[in-house]
Amino acid sequence: MTQPRDPWAERTAEMLPQDSPYRRGVAPVSARRPAANPPTLPQPPIAPHAPTGTGWPGDPRAVAPPPGEEWRQIKRGRELSLVGGLFAFVCWGIWAISSGGDLRSPIALFLLTLLVGVGLFFLVRLLGKVIWVRQLGRVRRTAKGAHLATGLFLAVVGVAYLRQTEWVMSAWSWIAGRF
């Protein structure tokens, strides 16, 4: 044994003899004896798996949404597209009436504009599904982003119709000249 006057003696532990059953890092575990009469508790019946449609927590891609949910999502936010479409329609009407003549080609042009707006809506929805749902793992609850993009597109088209109307542009320049 070391003498207490050695400074390192206080900081070290004594070594066990080599024939000791103790080994560093291994805990002694004794075998468990089975109980003579194990207590039995009543077990509740196991219910069969009932899918809830939610999938694993945090994984929105696990289960497809129920039927009709996609259309309910598309409806949410439609007022943004409707306001843009109404603005484009009013501006188109001012342009079409001001230009005079046959209305067949302006009607075809407006229908083509609406068709492009619908295509833009579904393109933004597809991009949202790829980026928002698949890449970021988020859940979409509305289509407000797609409706906002479509409404802005239709509003810009409406402004473009107004810019082609001569009396609207002369009124705009008169108002801008006053300020």
Side-chain angles (χ1 to χ4, degrees):
M1 180 143 177
T2 60
Q3 298 299 324
R5 60 181 164 79
D6 296 333
W8 53 269
E10 297 172 356
R11 295 187 302 253
T12 59
E14 292 185 24
M15 292 292 295
L16 294 174
Q18 293 298 331
D19 59 346
S20 171
Y22 173 79
R23 288 185 294 162
R24 184 181 178 124
V26 179
V29 178
S30 60
R32 199 170 186 189
R33 283 187 268 153
N37 290 328
T40 56
L41 299 173
Q43 297 293 326
I46 298 175
H49 174 68
T52 59
T54 58
W56 291 101
D59 187 11
R61 301 167 286 180
V63 178
E69 180 63 25
E70 186 76 22
W71 289 108
R72 281 190 288 273
Q73 287 178 359
I74 288 176
K75 285 182 182 180
R76 294 183 189 127
R78 67 178 176 246
E79 62 274 358
L80 298 169
S81 290
L82 291 176
V83 167
L86 183 63
F87 181 75
F89 177 73
V90 169
C91 295
W92 168 83
I94 292 171
W95 170 74
I97 292 172
S98 295
S99 65
D102 191 16
L103 289 179
R104 278 186 263 176
S105 60
I107 289 174
L109 183 63
F110 186 69
L111 290 177
L112 180 65
T113 302
L114 290 180
L115 187 64
V116 170
V118 169
L120 175 69
F121 173 81
F122 284 109
L123 178 67
V124 172
R125 283 289 287 178
L126 178 67
L127 285 174
K129 186 172 191 172
V130 169
I131 295 170
W132 191 254
V133 176
R134 292 192 180 156
Q135 296 295 323
L136 298 176
R138 309 281 185 176
V139 177
R140 283 194 303 188
R141 292 182 178 87
T142 65
K144 286 184 180 178
H147 282 296
L148 179 64
T150 305
L152 286 174
F153 166 75
L154 291 173
V156 168
V157 167
V159 170
Y161 283 132
L162 286 180
R163 289 183 60 113
Q164 295 177 7
T165 309
E166 183 181 339
W167 66 269
V168 171
M169 289 309 296
S170 63
W172 176 259
S173 62
W174 180 78
I175 290 173
R178 297 284 177 198
F179 296 104

